[in-house]
Short mmCIF file of all heavy atoms in Angstrom, two decimals:
data_model
loop_
_atom_site.label_atom_id
_atom_site.label_comp_id
_atom_site.label_asym_id
_atom_site.label_seq_id
_atom_site.Cartn_x
_atom_site.Cartn_y
_atom_site.Cartn_z
N ALA A 1093 6.06 -12.07 -3.71
CA ALA A 1093 7.36 -11.77 -4.32
C ALA A 1093 7.71 -12.79 -5.40
O ALA A 1093 8.26 -12.43 -6.46
CB ALA A 1093 8.45 -11.73 -3.24
N LEU A 1094 7.35 -14.06 -5.17
CA LEU A 1094 7.59 -15.09 -6.19
C LEU A 1094 6.78 -14.79 -7.45
O LEU A 1094 7.31 -14.84 -8.57
CB LEU A 1094 7.16 -16.45 -5.66
CG LEU A 1094 8.19 -17.28 -4.91
CD1 LEU A 1094 7.54 -18.57 -4.42
CD2 LEU A 1094 9.38 -17.59 -5.83
N ASN A 1095 5.52 -14.47 -7.27
CA ASN A 1095 4.64 -14.17 -8.41
C ASN A 1095 5.16 -12.95 -9.20
O ASN A 1095 5.22 -12.97 -10.42
CB ASN A 1095 3.20 -13.89 -7.96
CG ASN A 1095 2.54 -15.12 -7.36
OD1 ASN A 1095 3.00 -16.24 -7.59
ND2 ASN A 1095 1.48 -14.93 -6.60
N ILE A 1096 5.49 -11.92 -8.45
CA ILE A 1096 5.95 -10.66 -9.11
C ILE A 1096 7.28 -10.92 -9.81
O ILE A 1096 7.51 -10.46 -10.92
CB ILE A 1096 6.03 -9.52 -8.06
CG1 ILE A 1096 4.62 -9.16 -7.57
CG2 ILE A 1096 6.74 -8.30 -8.66
CD1 ILE A 1096 4.59 -8.27 -6.34
N SER A 1097 8.16 -11.67 -9.18
CA SER A 1097 9.46 -11.97 -9.78
C SER A 1097 9.28 -12.74 -11.10
O SER A 1097 10.02 -12.51 -12.07
CB SER A 1097 10.33 -12.76 -8.81
OG SER A 1097 10.60 -11.99 -7.66
N ASN A 1098 8.32 -13.67 -11.13
CA ASN A 1098 8.05 -14.38 -12.37
C ASN A 1098 7.48 -13.45 -13.44
O ASN A 1098 7.90 -13.48 -14.60
CB ASN A 1098 7.03 -15.51 -12.14
CG ASN A 1098 7.69 -16.70 -11.50
OD1 ASN A 1098 8.83 -17.01 -11.78
ND2 ASN A 1098 6.94 -17.38 -10.63
N ASP A 1099 6.53 -12.60 -13.03
CA ASP A 1099 5.84 -11.76 -14.01
C ASP A 1099 6.72 -10.68 -14.61
O ASP A 1099 6.49 -10.25 -15.74
CB ASP A 1099 4.61 -11.10 -13.34
CG ASP A 1099 3.56 -12.12 -12.94
OD1 ASP A 1099 3.68 -13.30 -13.33
OD2 ASP A 1099 2.60 -11.73 -12.22
N TYR A 1100 7.68 -10.20 -13.87
CA TYR A 1100 8.51 -9.06 -14.35
C TYR A 1100 9.93 -9.47 -14.71
O TYR A 1100 10.77 -8.61 -14.96
CB TYR A 1100 8.52 -7.94 -13.31
CG TYR A 1100 7.21 -7.20 -13.23
CD1 TYR A 1100 6.23 -7.58 -12.33
CD2 TYR A 1100 6.91 -6.15 -14.11
CE1 TYR A 1100 4.99 -6.93 -12.26
CE2 TYR A 1100 5.69 -5.51 -14.06
CZ TYR A 1100 4.73 -5.88 -13.14
OH TYR A 1100 3.52 -5.24 -13.09
N ASN A 1101 10.17 -10.75 -14.79
CA ASN A 1101 11.53 -11.19 -15.11
C ASN A 1101 12.01 -10.61 -16.44
O ASN A 1101 11.32 -10.70 -17.44
CB ASN A 1101 11.52 -12.73 -15.20
CG ASN A 1101 12.90 -13.30 -15.31
OD1 ASN A 1101 13.88 -12.66 -14.91
ND2 ASN A 1101 13.01 -14.48 -15.88
N GLY A 1102 13.17 -9.94 -16.42
CA GLY A 1102 13.74 -9.37 -17.64
C GLY A 1102 13.13 -8.05 -18.11
O GLY A 1102 13.52 -7.51 -19.13
N LYS A 1103 12.16 -7.51 -17.35
CA LYS A 1103 11.51 -6.27 -17.75
C LYS A 1103 12.04 -5.08 -16.93
O LYS A 1103 12.34 -5.26 -15.74
CB LYS A 1103 10.00 -6.37 -17.54
CG LYS A 1103 9.32 -7.42 -18.41
CD LYS A 1103 7.83 -7.44 -18.14
CE LYS A 1103 7.13 -8.44 -19.04
NZ LYS A 1103 5.71 -8.62 -18.67
N PRO A 1104 12.11 -3.89 -17.53
CA PRO A 1104 12.52 -2.72 -16.76
C PRO A 1104 11.42 -2.30 -15.78
O PRO A 1104 10.36 -1.84 -16.20
CB PRO A 1104 12.78 -1.65 -17.82
CG PRO A 1104 11.96 -2.07 -18.99
CD PRO A 1104 11.82 -3.56 -18.93
N LEU A 1105 11.66 -2.49 -14.51
CA LEU A 1105 10.62 -2.32 -13.50
C LEU A 1105 10.97 -1.19 -12.52
O LEU A 1105 12.09 -1.07 -12.06
CB LEU A 1105 10.46 -3.63 -12.71
CG LEU A 1105 9.50 -3.58 -11.51
CD1 LEU A 1105 8.05 -3.32 -11.92
CD2 LEU A 1105 9.59 -4.89 -10.69
N THR A 1106 9.95 -0.37 -12.22
CA THR A 1106 10.05 0.64 -11.16
C THR A 1106 8.94 0.38 -10.15
O THR A 1106 7.77 0.31 -10.51
CB THR A 1106 9.88 2.07 -11.73
OG1 THR A 1106 10.93 2.32 -12.66
CG2 THR A 1106 9.93 3.11 -10.63
N LEU A 1107 9.33 0.18 -8.90
CA LEU A 1107 8.33 0.10 -7.83
C LEU A 1107 7.96 1.52 -7.43
O LEU A 1107 8.85 2.35 -7.19
CB LEU A 1107 8.89 -0.60 -6.59
CG LEU A 1107 9.42 -2.03 -6.74
CD1 LEU A 1107 9.82 -2.57 -5.34
CD2 LEU A 1107 8.40 -2.95 -7.39
N VAL A 1108 6.67 1.80 -7.36
CA VAL A 1108 6.20 3.11 -6.92
C VAL A 1108 5.49 2.93 -5.58
O VAL A 1108 4.36 2.44 -5.52
CB VAL A 1108 5.25 3.76 -7.95
CG1 VAL A 1108 4.80 5.14 -7.47
CG2 VAL A 1108 5.90 3.86 -9.33
N SER A 1109 6.17 3.31 -4.52
CA SER A 1109 5.65 3.13 -3.17
C SER A 1109 4.86 4.36 -2.75
O SER A 1109 5.32 5.49 -2.92
CB SER A 1109 6.85 2.89 -2.23
OG SER A 1109 6.41 2.81 -0.88
N ILE A 1110 3.69 4.12 -2.19
CA ILE A 1110 2.85 5.25 -1.77
C ILE A 1110 3.11 5.57 -0.30
O ILE A 1110 2.78 4.77 0.57
CB ILE A 1110 1.34 4.93 -1.95
CG1 ILE A 1110 1.05 4.35 -3.36
CG2 ILE A 1110 0.48 6.17 -1.69
CD1 ILE A 1110 1.30 5.28 -4.50
N LEU A 1111 3.72 6.71 -0.08
CA LEU A 1111 4.02 7.15 1.30
C LEU A 1111 2.73 7.53 2.01
O LEU A 1111 1.81 8.03 1.39
CB LEU A 1111 4.96 8.36 1.27
CG LEU A 1111 6.34 8.08 0.65
CD1 LEU A 1111 7.11 9.39 0.51
CD2 LEU A 1111 7.12 7.08 1.49
N ARG A 1112 2.65 7.38 3.35
CA ARG A 1112 3.70 6.79 4.12
C ARG A 1112 3.37 5.36 4.52
O ARG A 1112 4.25 4.61 4.90
CB ARG A 1112 3.93 7.63 5.39
CG ARG A 1112 4.73 8.90 5.09
CD ARG A 1112 4.71 9.87 6.21
NE ARG A 1112 3.58 10.74 5.96
CZ ARG A 1112 3.30 11.76 6.76
NH1 ARG A 1112 4.01 12.02 7.84
NH2 ARG A 1112 2.28 12.56 6.49
N GLY A 1113 2.09 5.01 4.44
CA GLY A 1113 1.64 3.72 4.97
C GLY A 1113 2.31 2.50 4.39
O GLY A 1113 2.44 1.47 5.07
N SER A 1114 2.76 2.58 3.14
CA SER A 1114 3.25 1.36 2.50
C SER A 1114 4.74 1.12 2.65
O SER A 1114 5.28 0.20 2.04
CB SER A 1114 2.82 1.30 1.04
OG SER A 1114 3.58 2.21 0.31
N ILE A 1115 5.43 1.94 3.46
CA ILE A 1115 6.88 1.78 3.50
C ILE A 1115 7.34 0.42 4.07
O ILE A 1115 8.24 -0.17 3.55
CB ILE A 1115 7.61 2.94 4.25
CG1 ILE A 1115 7.05 3.15 5.63
CG2 ILE A 1115 7.62 4.20 3.41
CD1 ILE A 1115 7.91 4.06 6.47
N PHE A 1116 6.65 -0.06 5.09
CA PHE A 1116 7.08 -1.33 5.69
C PHE A 1116 6.85 -2.48 4.69
O PHE A 1116 7.69 -3.34 4.51
CB PHE A 1116 6.29 -1.60 6.99
CG PHE A 1116 6.63 -0.65 8.11
CD1 PHE A 1116 6.10 0.63 8.13
CD2 PHE A 1116 7.50 -1.05 9.12
CE1 PHE A 1116 6.43 1.51 9.18
CE2 PHE A 1116 7.83 -0.18 10.16
CZ PHE A 1116 7.29 1.11 10.18
N PHE A 1117 5.69 -2.46 4.07
CA PHE A 1117 5.36 -3.47 3.06
C PHE A 1117 6.33 -3.37 1.88
O PHE A 1117 6.84 -4.39 1.40
CB PHE A 1117 3.90 -3.26 2.60
CG PHE A 1117 3.43 -4.18 1.52
CD1 PHE A 1117 3.76 -5.53 1.52
CD2 PHE A 1117 2.62 -3.70 0.50
CE1 PHE A 1117 3.30 -6.38 0.51
CE2 PHE A 1117 2.14 -4.54 -0.49
CZ PHE A 1117 2.50 -5.88 -0.49
N THR A 1118 6.59 -2.15 1.43
CA THR A 1118 7.49 -1.97 0.28
C THR A 1118 8.87 -2.57 0.57
O THR A 1118 9.42 -3.30 -0.26
CB THR A 1118 7.64 -0.47 -0.05
OG1 THR A 1118 6.37 0.07 -0.33
CG2 THR A 1118 8.57 -0.26 -1.24
N VAL A 1119 9.39 -2.25 1.71
CA VAL A 1119 10.76 -2.70 2.06
C VAL A 1119 10.80 -4.24 2.17
O VAL A 1119 11.68 -4.88 1.60
CB VAL A 1119 11.22 -2.06 3.38
CG1 VAL A 1119 12.50 -2.71 3.91
CG2 VAL A 1119 11.46 -0.57 3.17
N ASP A 1120 9.83 -4.82 2.85
CA ASP A 1120 9.84 -6.29 3.01
C ASP A 1120 9.65 -6.99 1.69
O ASP A 1120 10.29 -8.01 1.40
CB ASP A 1120 8.78 -6.71 4.03
CG ASP A 1120 9.20 -6.43 5.45
OD1 ASP A 1120 10.38 -6.09 5.68
OD2 ASP A 1120 8.36 -6.54 6.37
N LEU A 1121 8.75 -6.48 0.85
CA LEU A 1121 8.51 -7.07 -0.47
C LEU A 1121 9.72 -6.91 -1.36
O LEU A 1121 10.18 -7.87 -2.00
CB LEU A 1121 7.28 -6.42 -1.11
CG LEU A 1121 6.88 -6.92 -2.50
CD1 LEU A 1121 6.34 -8.35 -2.43
CD2 LEU A 1121 5.84 -6.00 -3.13
#
Side-chain angles (χ1 to χ4, degrees):
L1094 271 177
N1095 294 342
I1096 293 167
S1097 298
N1098 283 325
D1099 294 350
Y1100 288 93
N1101 189 23
K1103 296 181 178 172
L1105 173 65
T1106 298
L1107 302 185
V1108 180
S1109 175
I1110 310 296
L1111 297 172
R1112 281 167 270 183
S1114 73
I1115 54 169
F1116 292 79
F1117 178 40
T1118 301
V1119 168
D1120 284 349
L1121 179 70

